Amino acid sequence: MTNKPANAPAEELDAHECWAFLRGVSVGRLAVWDTDHPDIFPINYAVDHGSLVFRTGLGTKLDAALGETPVAFEADGVDPVSAVAWSVVAKGSARRLDSTEDVLASFSIMLFPWQSGHKDTFIRIEPTSITGRKFVVADPAQWWTAQATATRTSPE
Amino acid sequence: MTNKPANAPAEELDAHECWAFLRGVSVGRLAVWDTDHPDIFPINYAVDHGSLVFRTGLGTKLDAALGETPVAFEADGVDPVSAVAWSVVAKGSARRLDSTEDVLASFSIMLFPWQSGHKDTFIRIEPTSITGRKFVVADPAQWWTAQATATRTSPE
């Protein structure tokens, strides 16, 4: 068995499907531009009415994302039952949440920052574009760790 | 139960540990700069002697990454037994693999491109920096999908 898809090419998702997938997980990755190179941060996020909210600290490279430069966010997953693998990418600008916004009370409970340190800043991304795709994989249990399995099998 | 870490702050990984984690999974994300914004692609990758190899097609935005602009790669995961969540970020430049390189035969078996279409180009990233961190989560089974659980529980 290999980590190739079981069936047809990837299927594009509409915005509604993208948001449905994003609501199903809570770990994604944020891409930002840092001076002279791209950087990626894993983030623990929540969906809030068509936006993404996450928690971070001041003084990190992420501060660069709070200016004029846009950011890109990605999340993906695989359903062990349906064998559907998916990926969603949202693009837009990030802004700091006002401490008076009422989402903070609930989000502070559920959002844990991956990087240690003092992280009491909440960031919201309101995407200007959201795209995604899905496809069926041959072996969902092996999809994320397919490398070792694939190298032990013969070519098809 | 929430998706907060069980214990202490995140622990930094050395390069050896980073590569060990990268060898354990086969799905990561590549961040590139596309004209005026960052973009992210999920990729099915393999580790090859201190480099990352993945498959893509010509004519995608990824072509932009093959110039002078550096790229950033990220992979993460959580061990359901040890409850250790980890993330590794590798930065460097991407280059197209020569078709005579002998890694192609094995990699073509194990690497599936997430985007549909004709994808017979292999890319290698030889990182100039690799960093990572790990930490213990309270509930590894819920870590990736902790949102629904967290919102049903009370604050601690």
Side-chain angles (χ1 to χ4, degrees):
Chain A
M1 209 175 312
T2 74
N3 54 345
K4 292 169 68 180
N7 288 328
E11 175 188 338
E12 299 295 319
L13 305 175
D14 63 27
H16 176 79
E17 293 173 299
C18 288
W19 285 111
F21 276 118
L22 290 184
R23 281 191 294 269
V25 297
S26 63
V27 174
R29 297 92 201 165
L30 186 73
V32 301
W33 183 254
D34 178 22
T35 312
D36 58 0
H37 64 276
D39 206 346
I40 311 183
F41 303 87
I43 58 175
N44 197 204
Y45 73 98
V47 171
D48 179 54
H49 299 93
S51 74
L52 302 161
V53 177
F54 64 97
R55 188 175 180 181
T56 187
L58 297 173
T60 71
K61 295 164 187 170
L62 194 57
D63 288 344
L66 289 174
E68 293 300 306
T69 311
V71 301
F73 168 87
E74 190 265 359
D76 52 57
V78 62
D79 186 310
V81 177
S82 67
V84 169
W86 60 273
S87 170
V88 170
V89 174
K91 296 171 189 167
S93 294
R95 68 174 177 87
R96 194 173 306 174
L97 275 187
D98 189 311
S99 63
T100 62
E101 295 194 46
D102 60 9
V103 294
L104 289 181
S106 56
F107 284 164
S108 63
I109 297 166
M110 52 197 285
L111 294 179
F112 166 73
W114 279 65
Q115 292 172 281
S116 57
H118 192 58
K119 311 279 166 159
D120 53 4
T121 302
F122 290 78
I123 308 291
R124 188 192 298 274
I125 303 170
E126 291 174 344
T128 52
S129 90
I130 185 164
T131 57
R133 56 180 60 86
K134 66 179 178 181
F135 54 86
V136 176
V137 295
D139 182 359
Q142 294 297 324
W143 174 248
W144 250 241
T145 56
Q147 186 178 340
T149 303
T151 54
R152 285 197 302 268
T153 60
S154 303
E156 289 177 340
Chain B
M1 208 176 313
T2 74
N3 55 347
K4 292 169 66 180
N7 286 329
E11 174 188 338
E12 300 294 319
L13 305 176
D14 63 28
H16 176 79
E17 292 173 300
C18 288
W19 285 110
F21 276 118
L22 290 184
R23 280 191 295 269
V25 298
S26 64
V27 173
R29 298 93 199 165
L30 186 74
V32 301
W33 183 254
D34 178 23
T35 311
D36 58 1
H37 63 277
D39 205 348
I40 312 184
F41 304 88
I43 58 175
N44 198 204
Y45 73 97
V47 171
D48 179 53
H49 298 93
S51 74
L52 302 161
V53 177
F54 64 97
R55 190 175 179 180
T56 187
L58 296 174
T60 71
K61 294 164 188 167
L62 194 57
D63 289 345
L66 290 174
E68 293 300 307
T69 311
V71 300
F73 168 88
E74 191 267 359
D76 53 58
V78 63
D79 185 313
V81 177
S82 67
V84 170
W86 60 273
S87 170
V88 170
V89 174
K91 296 172 188 166
S93 294
R95 68 175 178 87
R96 192 173 307 172
L97 275 187
D98 188 311
S99 62
T100 63
E101 295 195 46
D102 61 9
V103 295
L104 289 181
S106 57
F107 284 163
S108 63
I109 298 166
M110 50 198 284
L111 294 179
F112 165 73
W114 279 65
Q115 292 171 283
S116 57
H118 192 58
K119 308 278 166 163
D120 53 6
T121 302
F122 290 78
I123 308 291
R124 189 193 296 277
I125 303 169
E126 291 174 343
T128 51
S129 89
I130 185 164
T131 56
R133 59 180 58 86
K134 66 178 179 182
F135 53 87
V136 176
V137 295
D139 182 0
Q142 292 298 325
W143 174 248
W144 250 240
T145 56
Q147 186 177 340
T149 302
T151 54
R152 284 197 302 270
T153 60
S154 302
E156 292 179 343

